[in-house]
Amino acid sequence: MVMMMATVTKIDDLNVKEKMQWCPGCGNFGLLSALKGAIFELGLKRHETVIVSGIGCSSKTPHYVNTYGFETLHGRPLPVASGIKLANTDLTVIAEGGDGDGYGIGVQHFVHIMRRNYDLTYIVHNNQVYGLTTGQASPTSLIGMKTKTTPWGVIETPFNPVAYAILGGATYVARGFAGEPDHLKELIKGGIAHKGFALIDVFQPCVTFNYLNTYQWFQERVYKLETQDPKHDASDREAAMEKALEDSKSGYKKVPIGLFFKEERPTYEDQLPQIKEKPLVKHDLTKIDLSEAYAELE
Ligand code: SF4
């Protein structure tokens, strides 16, 4: 049995011995350091923190952080994370995966879980390509991008996760860049501390298969919403939508990162009378009488 009772007292407590499988220079490294920094600075306990992933390069993250972890099926981190949260509301649950995993095969979970407002943090490593399967177009690949599946360039409109999340019911919507790990760390801290569903979409350059959206491409385009004058009001849904559409409207000349939108709304689990008093795992299962339910089936 793994004993993980200690609070994270130093960031090295979160390191694991497993050899990392990511390509040198991959944006996943910046994201990982931001995630570990956030867990450390929030003083989370490792035995009360669970990281759940799907399938993809990004989904190796639970192997690389010394908390509890669960690498599930392709596109399924959100339903598994929701189940964990409903079973034990005392846990901090962080779901993560890539753009193919979350905005492609898993998009139906993304849409419906957002509107339920579970208290979850969802971090998407958005590298705008399928990396693990060696370079096919993903839902967020930009028009014109040449990949193995689009040799003449992408012709579909890219999925805009930030805009969908603002409209779809997420109560904390942010976007970061793996090349700005300190800024990203603050966004992740905000998402974990927020009570409700937090999406943190992260530009994570895939240095091996995405030749368009490189570190330099982002450095020339991203700007922080916090540095704006006048300051962006994250409680204003319309202003948030305007910012979410700014990248495509500007022809990707201006790409904002930071906190787009935040609101307070009751979480799904707080509205369930069965777990209002205590988490499901702490209920006494020996005193449950199912005879009435069985009688209905007879
Ligand atoms: Fe990172 Fe791309 Fe390599 Fe995957 S293929 S580890 S996303 S650089």
Side-chain angles (χ1 to χ4, degrees), residues 21-28 57-58 127 129 131-132 204-209:
Q21 311 255 331
W22 292 328
C23 309
C26 174
N28 283 329
C57 296
S58 54
N127 56 25
V129 75
L132 191 70
Q204 171 257 305
C206 169
V207 294
T208 306
F209 295 110

Side-chain angles (χ1 to χ4, degrees), residues 133-279:
T133 49
T134 72
Q136 297 80 19
S138 90
T140 53
S141 299
L142 298 185
I143 289 177
M145 180 172 158
K146 291 189 175 161
T147 70
K148 284 181 181 163
T149 46
T150 56
W152 296 283
V154 169
I155 54 174
E156 296 159 283
T157 302
F159 182 77
N160 185 328
V162 172
Y164 272 89
I166 293 165
L167 286 180
T171 48
Y172 181 102
V173 184
R175 180 163 65 195
F177 169 41
E180 296 268 2
D182 286 339
H183 179 251
L184 177 57
K185 178 185 72 185
E186 295 306 321
L187 295 176
I188 296 175
K189 277 167 69 180
I192 294 173
H194 172 71
K195 192 146 171 58
F197 186 91
L199 169 74
I200 301 147
D201 182 71
V202 183
F203 290 131
Q204 171 257 305
C206 169
V207 294
T208 306
F209 295 110
N210 188 333
Y211 315 116
L212 174 66
N213 309 109
T214 60
Y215 284 99
Q216 191 184 346
W217 190 93
F218 287 111
Q219 277 151 0
E220 287 166 357
R221 289 164 174 83
V222 296
Y223 75 91
K224 296 181 184 127
L225 287 171
E226 299 81 11
T227 59
Q228 269 213 307
D229 186 20
K231 209 167 173 291
H232 170 64
D233 177 4
S235 68
D236 182 339
R237 194 185 295 269
E238 277 183 34
M241 273 306 285
E242 208 173 296
K243 286 290 159 198
L245 299 174
E246 187 177 16
D247 49 7
S248 54
K249 278 190 175 168
S250 70
Y252 297 92
K253 289 191 176 71
K254 288 180 81 184
V255 180
I257 56 172
L259 178 62
F260 286 71
F261 181 67
K262 185 177 171 181
E263 72 171 352
E264 303 300 327
R265 218 177 68 225
T267 63
Y268 186 90
E269 54 272 31
D270 278 353
Q271 298 175 78
L272 290 178
Q274 303 91 327
I275 53 174
K276 215 176 170 71
E277 302 298 321
K278 58 183 171 186

